[in-house]
Amino acid sequence: MTEHRPESWRRLLAVTTAALTASAGVALAAQSPAAAAPKPPPLSTPWTGQVSTTNPLPEYPRPQLTRPDWQSLNGTWQFAGAANINTPPVGTTLGEEVLVPYPIESALSGIMRHEDYMYYRRTFTVPAAWAGRNVQLNFGAVDWQSKVWVNGTLLGTHEGGYDKFSYDVTSALRAGSNEIIVGVWDPTNNQDIPVGKQRTNRGGIWYTPSSGIWQTVWLEPTTAQRITRLDTTPNVAAGGLDLVVQGTQAGASVTAQVLNGSTVVGTASGTVGSSFRVPVPNARLWSPDDPFLYTLRVTMAGGDAVGGYFGMRSLGKAMLGGVLRPTLNGKFVFQLGTLDQGYWPDGISTAPTDAALAFDLEQQKALGFNMVRKHIKVESDRWFYHADRLGLMVWQDMPALASGREPSTVGRQRFEKELKEMIDEHKGITSIVQWVPFNEGWGEYDAGRIADLVKGWDPTRLVNHNSGSNCCDSDPDPGNGDVIDDHMYVGPGITRAPSATRIAVNGEYGGLGLRVSGHEWPTSGKFAYEWLPDSTALTNRYVQITGKLVDLINGNGLSGSVYTEPTDVEEELNGFFTYDRQIRKMDFARVREVNLRVLGAANGTTLSTNKLASLRVTTPGYTNRYLRHRDGAARTDVVSTTSTTTDRQDATFSVRPGLSNSSCYSFESRNFPGRYLRHRAYRVYSETNTGGTFTADATFCARPGLSGGGTSLEASNMPGYFMRHRAEEVWMDANTGGTFNDDATWAISAPLWRSGADLPIGQTRSFKVTTPGYDTRYLRHRDNLARTDVITTTSPATDRADATFTVRAGFADTSCYSFESVNFPGQYLRHANYRLQKSPNDNTTTFQQDATFCAQPPQNGGTGNISLESFNYPGYYWRHYAEAVYIATNGGGNTWDTPTSYIPDTTWNSTNPLG
């Protein structure tokens, strides 16, 4: 049987398909004066020259609520600055021309300056084919307050720079030419309004304002009563889409159809304003790996019909592998993202073309990211559609009130009104997984109440009350919401562990900078969190710091990260691309490789090799137990950082490439080098290589945690058999049901014993340089600063004492070490601003961490040699450079991080004391 659909449905299907494929037909042309002339931008993007001066951004602007007929009003308008917006220039030709919808500060607008008050004016003619229908005038966004007149009739006043609004202009229309005037007041940060990063006094991390009309303006014909919004909530557990059709006639009957391509898979009816469920049987779930979208068709009694789309997916949080994790479709998916500012050198807040808008997201997906944090800006509907179709999860920030001052009562009212508008208008966006009301405390107030408010408005998504609540202007953490979010530059890192109710994320890290002559915003004051000299060094540094996410995921419960940033923005030079999108600043293949390695660590398949780790039980009720060897047999015991040295070392292993298969892993005993975990007669032991099947028995392949988080370890030579704990013992078992999945899932966590090499506690030692040509020099303190000098047994007693230290158990962790000066008792080596120096113990947490160093096997090898790693700056080692001694990382942004001679420079010979 062939289903009959009226012509209006076929036309609706056509326009919806066009809107969703980003190749929509050009809208009907409207009357316009001669084309405005964009000005040359400070930097041109590949799309600057593609901007149409008669029909810019011609794509259908609203993919979530499509209708077949529409007319774009983008293009040339008349323009004038003003003293206020209370006296519209009806019938008056204005002195300038502006290209809508580019903000007036942009070069593409043709104005390229800021005005607090302004008027726009143009004429249009309603197509004859629309006769008998109502006409809607739609604005994508106008920053900040606007008044709209049609033929001298004031239609209304709107406040809010980031939300959509519409007017039914039918009663104000006349035959033939019609005049539209838009008055705008935009005080930017001079009033308490949500402003994001816009500043009239721009510079550094604050950007050029984006005033006036900055998203598409268009007309569309509708029935008298119409649908105004589709609120879609996928309900995977119930097998359907929960839909609320918003409209002008509450209670009117509506019918919804869900389509997979052109095939209807579910139909249901309901009423405007009430939730009803449309079945989606055997749903194909949306994810970054498979961003499948269904088509939606809705009709309302009275004739209105609209199209849309949605993805079926579930969001939540769950205790997986003993750690609270965010879930997508019931599984932990690490949210690996970028800090996307959404600024352009030619269009400021408006991308020059739709292809440009999609480009940034397409590049981020190609780099291996699966998430984007839209940073204190709200984009156009088409941006969200691109995120939906590409499979990029979105953290959506609320544009902040101005920082550095307490918001006024009216400012708070405006903030909460616009916050609710943002959430209401984007409930149907599949890719949004998290709301972020505040950032680093900018304009923050009542954060606990606001987080609860947002959760009440949308209980389906996670709420991050304040990204970067560990820093800057942040108020005390109220402890609610779903997320603990630390910022750490350069990082990555977190200062707080996940809790029973909140996941832990690193909401900003990175900010690595590289200057590219000819592709920089033409102002002074260039900014980055760390400068690198060239593309190779920048790539090396990105790979190095992002690789640390592996250990943070496994050892610290990290569930998401945000790298600063996709592109340079004005003075900020932290991007993968230059601001003009012309130059790739890193080796993108290497960026993608490390990003995929991070995602592999999160799904349990990638472990860091040649590093220490402990294997924690994840079975509920037993998560304080660790796998350890005792008397040769593996078992699980309660072990902590206060346990005995033997227990902590027994429960610590060096993760090695698999002895029989380098794509899998082997686990070498920390305190019995050469002994490995292996299975024998299904039981797991710690043994030395006995030949025969030993290397295969001692090789385990990492699989996604069977319980939904962590890692499961499958025997390389017994497929289907996994390492599991059973009555305190550790065995290789096939799935026996019951608690097997939990018992066979391990958290590969931070090592209980952090030093991979030993020093004698309580004894005095000196540390000799091993770099060829400098091996007569020793580490010593002089004028409180650490340096290296040539010292011998015949040197003055002071020099020899300065180069002698008593080895103590580490202040911050007793599995590491602190080094006390022998001639200044109570003073210890610590780092400050990367320089190693001698300071008295002030008993602060900062000092105790700065003065703790973990001994590791020597980077350059050699008997009696050692390398000393900073406790609180993992990956940074004692390194001598130009006589001074620093904590340094290979290829970092500081002068003393140079890779040249790094390996020998960070290798020291632990000798008998000189003094």
Side-chain angles (χ1 to χ4, degrees), residues 3-322:
E3 181 182 5
H4 173 73
R5 296 197 184 109
E7 175 62 24
S8 61
W9 269 94
R10 289 195 289 273
R11 289 196 300 138
L12 179 60
L13 178 62
V15 75
T16 300
T17 302
L20 297 186
T21 57
S23 58
V26 175
L28 293 172
Q31 286 179 278
S32 176
K39 294 182 177 179
L43 292 171
S44 293
T45 69
W47 306 274
T48 303
Q50 299 175 17
V51 173
S52 168
T53 56
T54 57
N55 190 24
L57 298 179
E59 294 79 13
Y60 191 89
R62 196 180 54 201
Q64 284 284 28
L65 192 73
T66 62
R67 293 189 175 93
D69 299 325
W70 69 293
Q71 175 176 290
S72 176
L73 294 183
N74 290 347
T76 301
W77 293 49
Q78 297 172 10
F79 179 84
N84 58 61
I85 54 172
N86 300 322
T87 54
V90 176
T92 303
T93 299
L94 304 183
E96 296 178 271
E97 292 176 336
V98 62
L99 188 63
V100 170
Y102 301 102
I104 63 169
E105 293 85 356
S106 71
L108 290 179
S109 73
I111 303 299
M112 213 172 176
R113 70 173 187 273
H114 175 76
E115 296 278 359
D116 279 358
Y117 297 93
M118 68 207 80
Y119 282 110
Y120 295 77
R121 179 179 179 269
R122 70 163 292 160
T123 59
F124 64 90
T125 300
V126 176
W130 295 7
R133 289 187 279 175
N134 286 36
V135 177
Q136 311 302 321
L137 172 60
N138 303 311
F139 292 85
V142 179
D143 198 0
W144 176 74
Q145 184 193 80
S146 65
K147 294 182 179 180
V148 180
W149 294 264
V150 170
N151 297 325
T153 300
L154 178 63
L155 302 178
T157 300
H158 177 267
E159 292 185 348
Y162 298 92
D163 57 294
K164 301 185 287 285
F165 60 99
S166 301
Y167 298 108
D168 189 318
V169 301
T170 309
S171 62
L173 295 175
R174 60 194 178 200
S177 180
N178 292 269
E179 177 194 58
I180 176 174
I181 293 173
V182 180
V184 180
W185 171 50
D186 182 19
T188 312
N189 57 301
N190 294 318
Q191 291 280 331
D192 270 355
I193 63 174
V195 72
K197 281 201 167 186
Q198 302 178 64
R199 293 295 186 273
T200 53
N201 185 22
R202 52 155 307 284
I205 66 168
W206 311 113
Y207 310 146
T208 302
S210 297
S211 303
I213 299 171
W214 68 280
Q215 289 185 25
T216 291
V217 185
W218 80 102
L219 298 168
E220 63 177 343
T222 68
T223 54
Q225 300 297 332
R226 66 189 186 281
I227 297 167
T228 57
R229 197 173 74 223
L230 302 176
D231 293 343
T232 56
T233 304
N235 192 327
V236 174
L241 174 73
D242 290 340
L243 175 65
V244 179
V245 178
Q246 306 290 356
T248 58
Q249 185 179 4
S253 61
V254 290
T255 298
Q257 291 183 322
V258 171
L259 296 89
N260 181 343
S262 60
T263 302
V264 176
V265 298
T267 303
S269 295
T271 58
V272 169
S274 299
S275 179
F276 63 99
R277 184 168 297 149
V278 189
V280 186
N282 304 311
R284 180 175 168 182
L285 301 185
W286 182 96
S287 72
D289 292 332
D290 184 20
F292 180 77
L293 299 173
Y294 287 92
T295 300
L296 181 63
R297 302 283 181 265
V298 181
T299 57
M300 186 175 76
D304 196 16
V306 298
Y309 73 90
F310 66 94
M312 285 293 288
R313 56 99 180 99
S314 66
L315 302 173
K317 54 185 180 179
M319 196 66 70
L320 299 173

Side-chain angles (χ1 to χ4, degrees), residues 362-433:
E362 291 166 347
Q363 292 300 307
Q364 290 172 70
K365 188 65 186 286
L367 285 170
F369 293 101
N370 64 9
M371 179 269 286
V372 56
R373 180 181 170 202
K374 178 46 63 176
H375 192 37
I376 55 177
K377 179 194 176 190
V378 184
E379 292 283 4
S380 68
D381 288 352
R382 290 201 61 81
W383 185 91
F384 288 101
Y385 168 65
H386 291 312
D388 286 344
R389 71 175 177 83
L390 290 168
L392 282 163
M393 295 179 284
V394 174
W395 296 5
Q396 180 57 55
D397 287 12
M398 174 62 192
L401 296 167
S403 60
R405 64 181 184 234
E406 189 70 16
S408 63
T409 299
V410 68
R412 298 179 185 208
Q413 293 169 348
R414 290 165 173 167
F415 180 85
E416 291 179 39
K417 173 182 174 292
E418 294 188 42
L419 175 63
K420 188 171 192 305
E421 287 288 343
M422 180 186 78
I423 292 168
D424 284 349
E425 290 181 7
H426 296 89
K427 284 182 177 178
I429 300 299
T430 302
S431 53
I432 295 177
V433 299

Side-chain angles (χ1 to χ4, degrees), residues 744-758:
T745 300
W746 304 86
I748 311 299
S749 62
L752 285 163
W753 192 265
R754 292 183 54 149
S755 286
D758 297 320

